[in-house]
Amino acid sequence: MNERNSVSKVKEPWWKDAVIYQIYPKSFQDSNGDGVGDLQGIISRLDYLQQLGVDAIWLCPVYKSPGIDNGYDIADYEQIDPKYGTMADMEELIAEGKKRGIRIVMDLVVNHTSDQHPWFVEARKHPDSPEHDYYVWRERPNDLKSAFSGSAWEYDEQVGQYYLHLFAKQQPDLNWTNPALRDKIYKMMNFWIAKGIGGFRMDVIELIGKQPDAGVTANGPKLHDYLQEMHRETFGEEDFLTVGETWGATLDNAPLYSDPDRKELSMVFQFEFTNLDKQAGKEKWDTRPVDPGELKQVLAKWQRLDFKHAWNSLFWDNHDLPRIVSRFGNDGKYRVESAKMLAMILHCLRGTPYIYEGEEIGMTNRHVDTIDEVADIESVRMYNERVAAGADPKQVIASINSQGRDNARTPMQWDDSQNAGFSSAKPWLAVNPNYAAINVKAALADPDSIFYVYQKLIALRHHDRILVDGDFSLLDTSAGVMAYKRTLGDEQLLVVGNLTDQEQVLDLPDQIASVLVANAPVPKSLTKAVLSPYQAFVARIA
């Protein structure tokens, strides 16, 4: 195996061969017994993350917030919410992470604020104030819809105007056409950069160029001007990760964000694979079985980026998506096999991999029976809307069990003690009942666990440039099998995964020189080899 190339680390950004771990702070580790995860809890688990081998933590919002949308409604960008701790705790997290080679990537929401942010309070109180123009006001609403159901406009009786909220009404949208507002945002970003963070994850960043009067929300004509200005005024001279959440990303427009010559962002999250279990023309709640052939074609499609002028982010899970082993794998009989397969298929692609908390131990969706068990604002609003329209409540609950955001937000399962070792108190959201079997303590004690597959894949990316720089080629196989090669010079890696719960035949001419990672015994010959359900391996080929 090649040693990690220190020369290339000087020339290239730190994130090119990094693996990033996403933490949902409310659900990771509670240190003070109030049922809510916090910064000291995260600090107490840094050694675990160092053992896993990750290079950075993407930290979901910990800013002061009323918590209408679990922190994505920010009331003060430069204060830590008391439920998570203090600014001193945040500074300690940055310092303790640095000791372990783990950078902190802050989640940043600059499309909207909380309605309790001082800017919005002032905007309502004094409509002639500069802050009033920090938001989007109109005399009459148009037909724009909120992502959380209903109109995107809310009438404010105190002001006598409507304000725009593309999400909850407590999340008024910022007016990026105002240069004074942009200057405030850049100063705030520099406040955090000065504290030594390693990057920003930019929430719904494609929306900041909105033109609401024209019905344009994503990818407005001024979007890239704003991002280039942001780069210039904030992180441009830093060795810094910026990743944009862009639900509308395509192969054509993704390089506009991530071409280094354009000086915007490092990379974007694209979500094309998340539509593969949706019924055409319907909402995310209306699902269909995933076609494995479609899945592998979408993954391969995004490997066609010109990586000299763009970069890719690789992920299965996040705080807004259901657990991947429940979604595209098998969270019953083949939970372990399918979780390992999904890890291998993703982590050997070109780009920067992200792991969502608990993914590395195969955490699953948590089913609920009634709406009273659901915390997520999006799920609750959808339920109320559909039931009011005559839908069967049981069917709506089934949709929430499949796609609801609470699936990803149940507390991290550390051990088999009460509340899964997450908290000594009743957790803010119920723990998945399967925590007695699926937990970190059990995973660390089992050398054949999902955790150690992730650990091997992370180490492989760190020490072998082929995963960072190698070319990608999809091999011709049956629809149920994804097989591809990564090639760098004379070196070749073969990655194979059975995407199904049925045996599949693999017929390749290649000879395996050595197996690097596998979830089952690898056939000696790949000629008409039979793969067991969800079987996967990564191998060097002769």
Side-chain angles (χ1 to χ4, degrees):
M1 217 179 252
N2 299 327
E3 285 302 313
R4 201 168 184 179
N5 188 330
S6 59
V7 175
S8 67
K9 287 298 283 181
V10 174
K11 293 179 180 176
E12 291 190 335
W14 68 264
W15 41 264
K16 278 254 175 122
D17 65 350
V19 178
I20 297 163
Y21 189 93
Q22 182 188 357
I23 285 179
Y24 197 70
K26 201 172 181 181
S27 298
F28 194 62
Q29 179 67 69
D30 173 23
S31 72
N32 62 358
D34 63 357
V36 175
D38 48 47
L39 292 172
Q40 283 296 329
I42 296 170
I43 292 167
S44 74
R45 297 296 186 177
L46 286 173
D47 287 346
Y48 166 74
L49 296 178
Q50 185 179 23
Q51 182 180 359
L52 181 59
V54 298
D55 303 272
I57 292 167
W58 155 20
L59 191 65
C60 283
V62 291
Y63 315 96
K64 186 178 179 184
S65 167
I68 294 296
D69 190 21
N70 276 341
Y72 286 87
D73 49 321
I74 298 172
D76 192 323
Y77 287 102
E78 296 181 12
Q79 286 191 47
I80 300 298
D81 195 285
K83 69 173 167 283
Y84 296 128
T86 64
M87 187 60 76
D89 294 328
M90 186 68 213
E91 290 164 348
E92 183 182 350
L93 175 61
I94 294 168
E96 289 298 318
K98 187 175 182 180
K99 289 178 188 176
R100 295 163 176 82
I102 298 174
R103 303 176 196 239
I104 307 301
V105 174
M106 297 284 284
D107 208 327
L108 187 63
V109 188
V110 292
N111 175 70
H112 50 266
T113 68
S114 165
D115 61 356
Q116 295 182 30
H117 193 289
W119 296 343
F120 194 71
V121 172
E122 187 68 16
R124 293 185 66 230
K125 198 180 295 181
H126 300 291
D128 57 347
S129 68
E131 287 81 3
H132 187 76
D133 194 48
Y134 287 4
Y135 296 89
V136 182
W137 301 90
R138 294 292 184 269
E139 297 298 325
R140 295 182 185 82
N142 61 15
D143 59 359
L144 281 178
K145 299 296 182 187
S146 161
F148 293 162
S149 304
S151 173
W153 297 96
E154 181 73 10
Y155 185 69
D156 188 299
E157 292 188 2
Q158 188 172 333
V159 176
Q161 290 179 308
Y162 292 85
Y163 66 85
L164 180 69
H165 60 92
L166 292 177
F167 296 91
K169 68 180 181 180
Q170 299 91 341
Q171 294 170 290
D173 275 54
L174 289 167
N175 174 23
W176 270 75
T177 66
N178 185 324
L181 177 274
R182 300 200 304 272
D183 186 58
K184 290 269 190 184
I185 288 172
Y186 302 152
K187 285 178 178 172
M188 173 271 294
M189 292 171 70
N190 286 325
F191 167 86
W192 284 107
I193 292 169
K195 289 197 176 288
I197 65 169
F200 288 120
R201 179 264 186 184
M202 312 293 290
D203 185 68
V204 295
I205 197 64
E206 66 187 349
L207 304 183
I208 64 171
K210 67 183 77 68
Q211 290 189 334
D213 298 331
V216 174
T217 54
N219 295 302
K222 297 284 286 182
L223 170 63
H224 294 284
D225 292 341
Y226 297 150
L227 292 177
Q228 287 166 12
E229 180 183 71
M230 178 190 290
H231 185 283
R232 202 163 52 243
E233 298 296 324
T234 62
F235 50 78
E237 300 304 314
E238 309 286 331
D239 184 14
F240 204 76
L241 166 68
T242 49
V243 54
E245 181 191 25
T246 53
W247 286 83
T250 65
L251 276 183
D252 291 330
N253 67 27
L256 298 179
Y257 296 92
S258 60
D259 184 344
D261 295 337
R262 289 176 55 85
K263 299 188 183 304
E264 296 188 21
L265 305 179
S266 310
M267 66 187 85
V268 295
F269 289 123
Q270 56 78 21
F271 295 86
E272 187 170 356
F273 79 89
T274 67
N275 291 317
L276 296 178
D277 57 354
K278 307 289 185 295
Q279 295 178 35
K282 295 193 176 180
E283 295 183 302
K284 82 173 199 176
W285 310 101
D286 306 304
T287 61
R288 65 180 177 92
V290 176
D291 181 327
E294 289 181 7
L295 176 60
K296 73 175 179 179
Q297 291 301 329
V298 167
L299 294 176
K301 170 183 174 179
W302 281 90
Q303 294 294 293
R304 297 205 304 263
L305 283 172
D306 176 357
F307 281 85
K308 291 180 181 176
H309 297 284
W311 197 252
N312 202 23
S313 54
L314 307 168
F315 71 100
W316 284 128
D317 291 283
N318 68 28
H319 61 291
D320 285 332
L321 300 174
R323 291 283 180 182
I324 196 60
V325 74
S326 297
R327 188 179 197 180
F328 290 170
N330 179 310
D331 62 11
K333 181 179 179 181
Y334 297 114
R335 182 185 67 88
V336 172
E337 292 86 349
S338 63
K340 291 177 178 180
M341 178 276 293
L342 290 164
M344 285 181 250
I345 287 294
L346 188 85
H347 279 252
C348 293
L349 295 170
R350 194 168 191 189
T352 297
Y354 293 73
I355 299 168
Y356 182 69
E357 65 180 41
E359 180 186 337
E360 77 281 9
I361 61 168
M363 282 178 60
T364 67
N365 286 354
R366 179 181 73 89
H367 283 207
V368 299
D369 295 318
T370 70
I371 195 62
D372 296 337
E373 299 173 72
V374 178
D376 172 39
I377 182 174
E378 181 188 39
S379 298
V380 171
R381 290 189 174 187
M382 182 278 295
Y383 177 90
N384 292 335
E385 192 175 74
R386 291 198 172 189
V387 170
D392 180 349
K394 288 184 178 179
Q395 288 185 347
V396 183
I397 288 292
S399 294
I400 291 172
N401 283 334
S402 171
Q403 297 293 321
R405 299 191 299 180
D406 279 354
N407 282 310
R409 300 176 181 185
T410 57
M412 183 71 176
Q413 294 164 208
W414 293 105
D415 56 40
D416 59 358
S417 66
Q418 187 178 21
N419 302 324
F422 163 72
S423 177
S424 58
K426 181 182 179 182
W428 74 277
L429 185 65
V431 176
N432 194 315
N434 64 18
Y435 74 88
I438 303 172
N439 61 69
V440 168
K441 183 179 178 182
L444 294 179
D446 177 7
D448 195 35
S449 71
I450 300 163
F451 174 91
Y452 291 111
V453 166
Y454 274 86
Q455 187 187 60
K456 287 176 184 176
L457 291 167
I458 294 167
L460 183 62
R461 180 167 293 268
H462 286 164
H463 292 289
D464 200 322
R465 297 297 301 182
I466 194 169
L467 289 186
V468 182
D469 298 325
D471 291 333
F472 169 93
S473 57
L474 183 68
L475 303 180
D476 185 16
T477 60
S478 65
V481 175
M482 183 169 186
Y484 62 87
K485 287 181 182 176
R486 300 294 309 277
T487 305
L488 185 63
D490 296 331
E491 187 181 5
Q492 282 196 321
L493 288 186
L494 173 65
V495 183
V496 172
N498 179 354
L499 304 174
T500 77
D501 62 0
Q502 304 294 314
E503 287 186 345
Q504 298 284 339
V505 175
L506 177 71
D507 196 6
L508 296 175
D510 302 288
Q511 298 294 315
I512 292 176
S514 60
V515 176
L516 302 178
V517 191
N519 66 356
V522 177
K524 288 186 169 59
S525 168
L526 301 182
T527 303
K528 293 187 169 52
V530 177
L531 300 176
S532 58
Y534 299 107
Q535 182 171 356
F537 61 86
V538 182
R540 295 195 193 282
I541 53 179

